[in-house]
Amino acid sequence: MSQKTYYIHTFGCQSNKSDSERIAGDYEARGYTEAADWRECDELIVNTCAIRQRAEDKAKGFLHNVRVYFNEQGTQRPKIILTGCMTHHGQEKLYEMLPIVDEILPINEVGFNSAAVRKDQKHAWIPISTGCNSFCTYCIVPYSRGREKSRDFDDIMAEVERLVAQGYEEITLLGMNVNSWGLEKLGIGFRKLMMENKEFTREDLPDNQSQYLPPTGTPPFVKLLQEISKYDQIKTIRFMTSNPWDFHDELIAEIGRNKKIDRYVHLPIQSGSDEVLYRMNRGYTTKRYIEVISKLRAADPNIVIGTDIIVGFPGETDAEFEKTVELSKEMNWKIAFVAIYSPRPGTASWRIYPDDIPHAVKKERWEILDTLINKSNLSVRPVVV
Ligand code: SAH
Ligand code: F3S
């Protein structure tokens, strides 16, 4: 009898790609082999993204193609298993939306510790945390991936050790808020508020400056970077995503002195307007963001910064958008992932703010920032510390 085969189709971010590596590990542990193509597998796993409506539409489009293909062929289609952030819809709604799906694999069942099957022989993703407690008002992640959970130090180091033995030289530590890894939780009532389904306004939401108690001594994430750096063979360490909150001075100092840490640091701003940041519940002001970047550049002038920006957030006025344009000129970001706001059902912004910026305006704002940051070779003034 021939061996059973699997194929994983992955949408979305690095965390999804990393999850897919561990899903592949689980299949191989059960004796499956990878099929070369989804048209030829026994089980097709679709790892979905839900960060914007377009991401969900892509997964729907893919499943539509799968259905059409097997209908036309008249052959038996593979068993279809759906996982990833679209699972936030819940089983019932998903089976109704996507009747082709046979099974749903909740993200937290993927776990941290299954042996990952990696295609790259030099660089490895390592998940160090999952979920998110920050509840930025626009974001689906706290609903799709659940509460933030740090992976155990010993498990992370055991994986690093295995990777070193296998010859890996570069690693990327993954999590939604890597810099809060291992911190002690403060706890917030936000989830409760949302679950109770009561009416609320922005004023009722907590500010998410940090969900954690300030660390006493060296922050755990800094210790983790130091421990991993002890392996001679590890030449480059990257991490994503970190956030302006919990970006402690000790972390900045460590990045400054530890040259194994990549000189590219990704630090999302989302908006250059403090009013918009407030509506987004980002819990920091542009002043705090600029402070972090200035300190990073003071620690090593060769550090290069990238960011994420959302345009067309509810109520974003021309003047508020202009603040983002101004900040872009000041920050000299190397790259920006500019996204058009997409209301995500169930999130706070979807509940309390109408999606009132016309698409044409969103598109225009997207163009302006993308051209300014990603397409222009203008050498703009770097931040002076
Ligand atoms: N944990 C990371 C990444 C979150 S999702 C962080 O804290 O930044 C990745 C990016 O998608 C976000 O930074 C944001 O710019 C964008 N994004 C998230 N939700 C969105 C939405 N509803 N509409 C448009 N862009 C969104
Ligand atoms: Fe999303 Fe904000 Fe967390 S962007 S992943 S809720 S930090």
Side-chain angles (χ1 to χ4, degrees):
M1 209 183 89
S2 67
Q3 249 180 340
K4 280 214 167 202
T5 60
Y6 72 94
Y7 188 87
I8 309 178
H9 195 90
T10 309
F11 294 95
C13 68
Q14 279 78 10
S15 288
N16 269 16
K17 288 175 191 149
S18 163
D19 284 349
S20 288
E21 292 179 338
R22 275 166 290 118
I23 295 169
D26 284 340
Y27 269 89
E28 303 215 347
R30 287 188 282 134
Y32 285 64
T33 53
E34 192 189 17
D37 192 283
W38 58 263
R39 293 165 190 85
E40 293 160 13
C41 63
D42 297 308
E43 296 200 13
L44 170 60
I45 303 96
V46 186
N47 194 353
T48 59
C49 172
I51 204 78
R52 286 178 286 277
Q53 187 55 43
R54 261 189 54 187
E56 294 207 21
D57 293 344
K58 275 192 207 161
K60 284 182 195 158
F62 172 69
L63 286 168
H64 172 79
N65 292 345
V66 171
R67 188 166 55 84
V68 169
Y69 176 82
F70 286 102
N71 278 351
E72 279 174 2
Q73 294 291 308
T75 53
Q76 164 124 29
R77 65 167 178 80
K79 178 176 175 186
I80 295 175
I81 297 136
L82 188 124
T83 188
C85 283
M86 275 179 79
T87 54
H88 79 90
H89 287 294
Q91 304 241 353
E92 201 179 325
K93 187 154 174 232
L94 272 177
Y95 285 129
E96 191 188 296
M97 252 165 59
L98 300 163
I100 193 172
V101 170
D102 297 301
E103 208 177 290
I104 290 158
L105 171 67
I107 307 180
N108 45 21
E109 276 181 28
V110 178
F112 287 131
N113 292 326
S114 312
V117 174
R118 296 181 165 93
K119 297 250 152 75
D120 195 319
Q121 302 302 312
K122 208 171 140 220
H123 164 266
W125 310 106
I126 303 183
I128 63 163
S129 65
T130 185
C132 186
N133 295 342
S134 291
F135 287 98
C136 303
T137 55
Y138 52 80
C139 186
I140 197 71
V141 172
Y143 308 89
S144 62
R145 288 188 169 266
R147 293 294 58 71
E148 193 164 316
K149 192 169 172 288
S150 289
R151 186 180 183 188
D152 285 346
F153 174 77
D154 290 346
D155 292 340
I156 298 172
M157 293 313 292
E159 183 157 13
V160 172
E161 204 147 312
R162 278 197 301 277
L163 289 166
V164 167
Q166 290 164 14
Y168 283 86
E169 292 177 3
E170 293 174 22
I171 60 167
T172 302
L173 304 175
L174 290 179
M176 294 297 147
N177 297 285
V178 281
N179 44 335
S180 61
W181 177 82
L183 288 174
E184 207 176 317
K185 284 193 178 67
L186 258 177
I188 46 156
F190 188 104
R191 179 74 175 163
K192 193 164 167 280
L193 192 76
M194 293 293 286
M195 293 298 277
E196 283 171 355
N197 216 22
K198 290 197 180 121
E199 292 276 310
F200 61 86
T201 67
R202 174 62 187 89
E203 278 61 45
D204 298 318
L205 303 182
D207 287 335
N208 68 357
Q209 186 70 36
S210 174
Q211 309 297 307
Y212 298 91
L213 293 166
T216 47
T218 308
F221 182 60
V222 174
K223 284 193 203 144
L224 184 64
L225 290 170
Q226 289 168 347
E227 284 305 312
I228 296 172
S229 303
K230 285 183 185 161
Y231 290 90
D232 283 342
Q233 193 182 298
I234 301 286
K235 301 283 187 286
T236 310
I237 306 171
R238 301 184 181 91
F239 49 83
M240 66 191 318
T241 302
S242 41
N243 282 302
W245 56 89
D246 301 319
F247 212 108
H248 307 104
D249 286 350
E250 292 90 334
L251 176 57
I252 295 171
E254 181 65 21
I255 298 171
R257 93 183 136 238
N258 180 351
K259 301 294 191 251
K260 287 194 173 186
I261 300 173
D262 195 25
R263 295 300 92 183
Y264 175 83
V265 176
H266 194 78
L267 198 62
I269 179 81
Q270 311 301 358
S271 171
S273 149
D274 288 340
E275 286 72 29
V276 175
L277 289 175
Y278 175 78
R279 299 203 291 281
M280 290 176 166
N281 192 27
R282 286 291 285 183
Y284 54 85
T285 57
T286 48
K287 186 162 166 265
R288 165 67 186 152
Y289 184 91
I290 294 168
E291 183 190 313
V292 173
I293 301 296
S294 304
K295 284 182 178 175
L296 272 169
R297 285 179 170 151
D300 181 351
N302 292 322
I303 286 174
V304 168
I305 317 280
T307 200
D308 291 355
I309 297 171
I310 298 176
V311 293
F313 189 78
E316 185 185 60
T317 62
D318 286 340
E320 285 171 345
F321 173 68
E322 207 42 51
K323 288 265 167 88
T324 308
V325 174
E326 277 165 32
L327 194 69
S328 303
K329 290 178 185 161
E330 196 185 329
M331 285 289 104
N332 199 14
W333 288 301
K334 176 89 178 161
I335 184 170
F337 294 102
V338 186
I340 286 180
Y341 173 71
S342 168
R344 307 286 57 226
T347 59
S349 69
W350 173 82
R351 286 173 61 167
I352 61 180
Y353 302 125
D355 179 20
D356 57 359
I357 308 298
H359 188 74
V361 175
K362 286 178 174 169
K363 195 77 219 292
E364 197 185 331
R365 290 178 181 172
W366 182 91
E367 246 349 296
I368 291 170
L369 290 181
D370 188 55
T371 306
L372 178 67
I373 305 166
N374 297 326
K375 302 218 175 87
S376 115
N377 293 317
L378 287 175
S379 123
V380 280
R381 183 171 56 90
V383 169
V384 183
V385 189

